[in-house]
């Protein structure tokens, strides 16, 4: 569906029941789904049948966002079938570099066409492949980190203050302890070895937000990074994930510059830059994991985590 078709579809519900979709809600629904028919209908059904069955309640941006989270967490049949595809080698060969921000290697045209036909990816206006819509963009890393989430040890939510507010400083200390002790062993629990550190970190963060927060991710082929926004109540934490690979320079300077742009969009003055060192013959993660403060080019105070 294009945006106007989504609007007309939702307007049919308004004509039948009197329940309105605000213009902002329609726009957000199209943005999240990019018109994928099953998702467009699933969001509307979740809201009109379960969340706000009273026609007197207008359907707002807040309800659209809540419905999106419910669909992602529940992984209905449509989303679950996508999850199964992610383990196929020809799918992995294309999705893994997209998630890690690397360029595609030499992949068969038939494999790329397969993912396009599945609706998992689309060609961007610039010509590169990207995940088809923001909901799939959330589902894919969440599904890939599920096995790691199931493998996590018991972690007490010490990062919450007595009033239930997230404390970023305590969260940092808890993560560093977790990473030193469990990071490397958990790499084996991930289905995509090239982005194992990303998936382990996301599994940890999902444990954090399960108490009432959300994770948002941005990644693109060739970008060399993954950006994550953690929201918990009124606390917003922006972070960027970079990989230091063999034969490449330290990504610190590039990461600080890229993180400035991401944090500017979130209207934040601080954040985390996480650098995964994947060069060979390094000491164990337990010995090389560190955290220090660095200033970004735009003057933001950045916590640089190396592991």
């Amino acid at each position: 569906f294009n945006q106007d078709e989504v609007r007309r579809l939702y307007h049919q519900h308004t004509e039948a029941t009197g329940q309105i979709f605000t213009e902002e809600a329609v726009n957000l629904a199209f943005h999240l789904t990019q018109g994928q028919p099953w998702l467009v209908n699933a969001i509307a059904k979740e809201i009109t049948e379960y969340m706000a069955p009273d026609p007197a309640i207008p359907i707002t941006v807040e309800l659209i966002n809540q419905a999106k989270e419910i669909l992602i967490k529940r992984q209905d049949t449509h989303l679950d079938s996508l999850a199964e595809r992610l383990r196929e080698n020809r799918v992995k060969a294309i999705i893994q570099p997209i998630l890690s921000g690397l360029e595609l290697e030499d992949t068969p045209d038939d494999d790329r066409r397969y993912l396009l036909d599945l609706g998992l990816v689309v060609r961007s206006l610039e010509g590169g492949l990207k995940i088809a819509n923001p909901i799939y963009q959330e589902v894919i890393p969440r599904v890939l980190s599920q096995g790691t989430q199931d493998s996590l040890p018991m972690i007490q939510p010490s990062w919450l203050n007595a009033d239930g507010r997230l404390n970023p400083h305590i969260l940092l200390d808890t993560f560093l302890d977790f990473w030193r002790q469990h990071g490397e062993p958990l790499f084996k629990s991930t289905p995509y070895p090239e982005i194992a550190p990303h998936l382990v970190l996301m599994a940890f963060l999902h444990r954090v937000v399960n108490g009432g927060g959300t994770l948002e991710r941005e990644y693109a082929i060739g970008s060399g990074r993954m950006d994550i926004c953690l929201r918990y109540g009124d606390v917003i934490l922006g972070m960027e994930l970079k990989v230091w690979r063999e034969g490449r320079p330290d990504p610190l300077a590039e990461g600080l510059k890229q993180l400035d742009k991401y944090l500017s969009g979130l209207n934040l003055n601080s954040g985390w830059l996480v650098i995964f060192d994947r060069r060979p013959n390094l000491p164990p993660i337990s010995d090389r994991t560190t955290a220090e403060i660095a200033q970004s080019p735009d003057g933001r105070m950045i916590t640089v985590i190396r592991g």
Side-chain angles (χ1 to χ4, degrees):
F1 299 144
N2 61 36
Q3 190 162 358
D4 190 54
E5 288 170 333
V6 172
R7 184 179 292 106
R8 292 203 303 269
L9 179 66
Y10 285 175
H11 187 64
Q12 292 175 12
H13 173 77
T14 302
E15 290 179 331
T17 67
Q19 187 174 36
I20 66 168
F21 285 79
T22 68
E23 185 66 16
E24 294 79 9
V26 173
N27 292 341
L28 179 60
F30 177 75
H31 167 71
L32 293 173
T33 65
Q34 292 298 296
Q36 205 284 336
W38 187 90
L39 294 174
V40 169
N41 284 285
I43 283 179
K45 180 178 180 178
E46 187 66 32
I47 295 172
T48 58
E49 294 188 8
Y50 304 105
M51 299 171 59
D54 183 351
I57 300 175
I59 297 174
T60 61
V61 163
E62 289 74 19
L63 287 173
I64 296 290
N65 272 322
Q66 290 172 30
K68 174 206 72 171
E69 284 297 314
I70 289 171
L71 291 180
I72 290 173
K73 289 177 181 177
R74 196 170 61 208
Q75 286 185 33
D76 288 348
T77 303
H78 171 81
L79 298 179
D80 194 47
S81 65
L82 290 181
E84 293 181 14
R85 302 286 191 186
L86 293 173
R87 292 185 175 272
E88 297 180 17
N89 287 333
R90 56 180 171 171
V91 174
K92 183 185 297 187
I94 294 170
I95 295 297
Q96 187 163 242
I98 292 178
L99 288 172
S100 60
L102 296 175
E103 289 79 11
L104 276 183
E105 295 185 357
D106 184 20
T107 55
D109 183 64
D110 285 350
D111 289 357
R112 298 193 298 277
R113 173 56 54 189
Y114 177 64
L115 267 73
L116 289 163
D117 290 345
L118 282 177
L120 265 178
V121 302
V122 294
R123 283 198 169 94
S124 65
L125 295 177
E126 296 78 21
L129 296 180
K130 66 177 184 179
I131 304 301
N133 58 64
I135 290 182
Y136 288 176
Q137 189 163 313
E138 283 297 308
V139 168
I140 289 171
R142 191 174 299 203
V143 166
L144 292 175
S145 64
Q146 187 59 59
T148 307
Q149 291 180 56
D150 293 341
S151 303
L152 288 182
M154 290 295 296
I155 307 173
Q156 293 298 322
S158 57
W159 48 79
L160 297 180
N161 293 330
D163 60 2
R165 194 169 187 268
L166 180 71
N167 187 316
H169 300 292
I170 297 177
L171 177 63
L172 174 62
D173 290 339
T174 305
F175 170 69
L176 291 174
D177 289 343
F178 160 81
W179 193 253
R180 291 183 180 113
Q181 186 175 356
H182 303 290
E184 208 155 27
L186 284 171
F187 288 176
K188 298 175 183 177
S189 68
T190 64
Y192 282 25
E194 288 296 316
I195 55 168
H198 302 65
L199 297 177
V200 173
L201 171 58
M202 284 188 284
F204 173 84
L205 294 177
H206 276 297
R207 180 67 60 86
V208 174
V209 301
N210 276 348
T214 60
L215 283 182
E216 301 162 9
R217 304 164 184 83
E218 291 184 14
Y219 49 85
I221 201 164
S223 67
R225 69 186 192 273
M226 176 187 287
D227 297 324
I228 296 179
C229 177
L230 185 156
R231 300 179 187 269
Y232 199 105
D234 61 353
V235 177
I236 303 175
L237 176 60
M239 61 186 75
E240 181 165 298
L241 315 185
K242 299 281 289 182
V243 176
W244 190 353
R245 301 185 186 278
E246 184 179 13
R248 304 289 296 175
D250 186 343
L252 174 63
E254 181 186 38
L256 289 172
K257 183 179 179 180
Q258 291 172 332
L259 185 54
D260 258 335
K261 183 177 180 181
Y262 184 58
L263 294 178
S264 176
L266 296 172
N267 197 28
L268 296 175
N269 293 319
S270 62
W272 291 7
L273 174 60
V274 185
I275 298 176
F276 300 123
D277 197 336
R278 304 306 303 276
R279 294 174 299 163
N281 304 317
L282 293 172
I285 280 181
S286 57
D287 296 337
R288 69 174 192 266
T289 296
T290 61
E292 60 183 9
I293 301 298
Q295 190 171 23
S296 72
D298 288 348
R300 292 180 173 85
M301 302 311 294
I302 306 300
T303 300
V304 179
I305 301 167
R306 294 181 181 270

